[in-house]
Amino acid sequence: MSTILKIFVFPAAMVVMCLGVLTILGGHITPGGGFQGGAMIAAGFIFCLIVYGLKESPFDLSHDFLSAIESIGALGYVFLGLAGLLFSGFYLYNLGVDLYHVVPASIQAIFNYPDPTKAGILPYLNFMVGLKVMVGLSAIVYAFLAFREYGEEAEDESIEEIE
């Protein structure tokens, strides 16, 4: 890629990722949330992967890292749902708001998000969904780039064997 793109991409990707984080954090009171914010963060990663390539990218997106982040997102979502089931009898019950007054005060205090609109566990759910979406979209591009680079290496080796 050109030098101009390599100079421009990293700061632009950081701005896009910051907007993605802002979308996730404000997702309980604005349109958007975990999916949209995760897609924006993934767009920043993808932007760098395409311009710099897999080996020179400023972000180290190894398979183990992506797997760990996706597992955290999935397990966090499940555990938040199970916490609602455990303390209220309903899966994904909004423990911070407690509309039906079935959650103990000590548990409600943990999820009491300091927001005038009483978000409860919604910001936490948005964060977990954002992690899953970010990894899912980034992993697709990561896999395509890995197939392309390893395919080019195999092709170069086969040409050397023929010669």
Side-chain angles (χ1 to χ4, degrees):
M1 289 285 172
S2 72
T3 307
I4 294 173
L5 274 177
K6 288 186 177 183
I7 292 171
F8 171 76
V9 163
F10 185 70
M14 294 306 291
V15 168
V16 169
M17 286 188 225
C18 288
L19 288 173
V21 169
L22 185 65
T23 303
I24 290 173
L25 293 177
H28 63 286
I29 55 174
T30 61
F35 185 86
Q36 292 84 350
M40 292 170 76
I41 296 170
F45 285 131
I46 291 167
F47 204 21
C48 286
L49 282 173
I50 290 174
V51 170
Y52 290 104
L54 198 56
K55 294 178 182 169
E56 296 178 13
S57 177
F59 301 108
D60 183 23
L61 297 177
S62 67
H63 176 73
D64 293 335
F65 173 75
L66 291 175
S67 176
I69 295 297
E70 187 170 23
S71 297
I72 289 169
L75 289 173
Y77 192 88
V78 168
F79 286 146
L80 284 171
L82 290 176
L85 185 64
L86 178 68
F87 293 110
S88 70
F90 302 103
Y91 187 75
L92 285 176
Y93 185 77
N94 199 349
L95 295 173
V97 177
D98 193 24
L99 295 174
Y100 301 116
H101 306 292
V102 294
V103 178
S106 59
I107 300 301
Q108 186 177 359
I110 294 172
F111 294 104
N112 189 10
Y113 193 76
D115 190 271
T117 58
K118 298 285 189 184
I121 65 168
L122 293 180
Y124 305 106
L125 290 173
N126 281 337
F127 181 72
M128 297 304 163
V129 170
L131 288 178
K132 284 286 291 175
V133 170
M134 183 242 341
V135 169
L137 295 177
S138 298
I140 292 169
V141 174
Y142 184 82
F144 283 145
L145 287 175
F147 284 133
R148 186 179 83 187
E149 285 190 17
Y150 294 130
E152 289 173 357
E153 288 176 6
E155 185 176 306
D156 291 342
E157 289 176 4
S158 65
I159 289 174
E160 290 175 0
E161 289 176 5
I162 293 173
E163 295 175 348

